[in-house]
CSV table of all heavy atoms in Angstrom, one decimal:
chain,number,residue,atom,x,y,z
A,184,VAL,N,-35.4,-89.0,-18.1
A,184,VAL,CA,-36.2,-89.3,-19.3
A,184,VAL,C,-37.6,-89.6,-18.8
A,184,VAL,O,-38.2,-90.6,-19.0
A,184,VAL,CB,-35.7,-90.5,-20.1
A,184,VAL,CG1,-36.2,-90.6,-21.5
A,184,VAL,CG2,-34.2,-90.5,-20.1
A,314,GLY,N,-32.3,-109.7,-8.5
A,314,GLY,CA,-31.1,-108.9,-8.5
A,314,GLY,C,-31.0,-107.9,-9.6
A,314,GLY,O,-30.2,-106.9,-9.5
A,332,GLY,N,-14.0,-106.1,-23.2
A,332,GLY,CA,-13.9,-105.5,-24.5
A,332,GLY,C,-12.5,-105.4,-25.1
A,332,GLY,O,-12.4,-105.1,-26.3
A,344,TYR,N,-12.6,-110.9,-28.4
A,344,TYR,CA,-12.4,-109.8,-27.4
A,344,TYR,C,-12.6,-110.4,-26.0
A,344,TYR,O,-13.2,-111.5,-25.8
A,344,TYR,CB,-13.3,-108.6,-27.6
A,344,TYR,CG,-14.8,-108.9,-27.4
A,344,TYR,CD1,-15.4,-108.9,-26.2
A,344,TYR,CD2,-15.6,-109.1,-28.5
A,344,TYR,CE1,-16.7,-109.1,-26.0
A,344,TYR,CE2,-17.0,-109.3,-28.4
A,344,TYR,CZ,-17.5,-109.3,-27.1
A,344,TYR,OH,-18.9,-109.5,-26.9
A,391,SER,N,-24.8,-113.8,-14.3
A,391,SER,CA,-23.3,-113.6,-14.1
A,391,SER,C,-22.6,-115.0,-14.1
A,391,SER,O,-23.2,-116.0,-13.8
A,391,SER,CB,-23.0,-113.0,-12.7
A,391,SER,OG,-23.3,-111.6,-12.7
A,401,VAL,N,-21.3,-122.7,-2.7
A,401,VAL,CA,-22.7,-122.8,-2.9
A,401,VAL,C,-23.0,-123.9,-3.9
A,401,VAL,O,-22.1,-124.3,-4.7
A,401,VAL,CB,-23.3,-121.5,-3.4
A,401,VAL,CG1,-23.3,-120.4,-2.3
A,401,VAL,CG2,-22.6,-121.0,-4.6
A,424,GLY,N,-2.8,-117.4,-14.1
A,424,GLY,CA,-2.6,-117.1,-12.7
A,424,GLY,C,-3.9,-116.9,-12.0
A,424,GLY,O,-4.9,-116.8,-12.6
Side-chain angles (χ1 to χ4, degrees):
V184 198
Y344 67 82
S391 286
V401 293

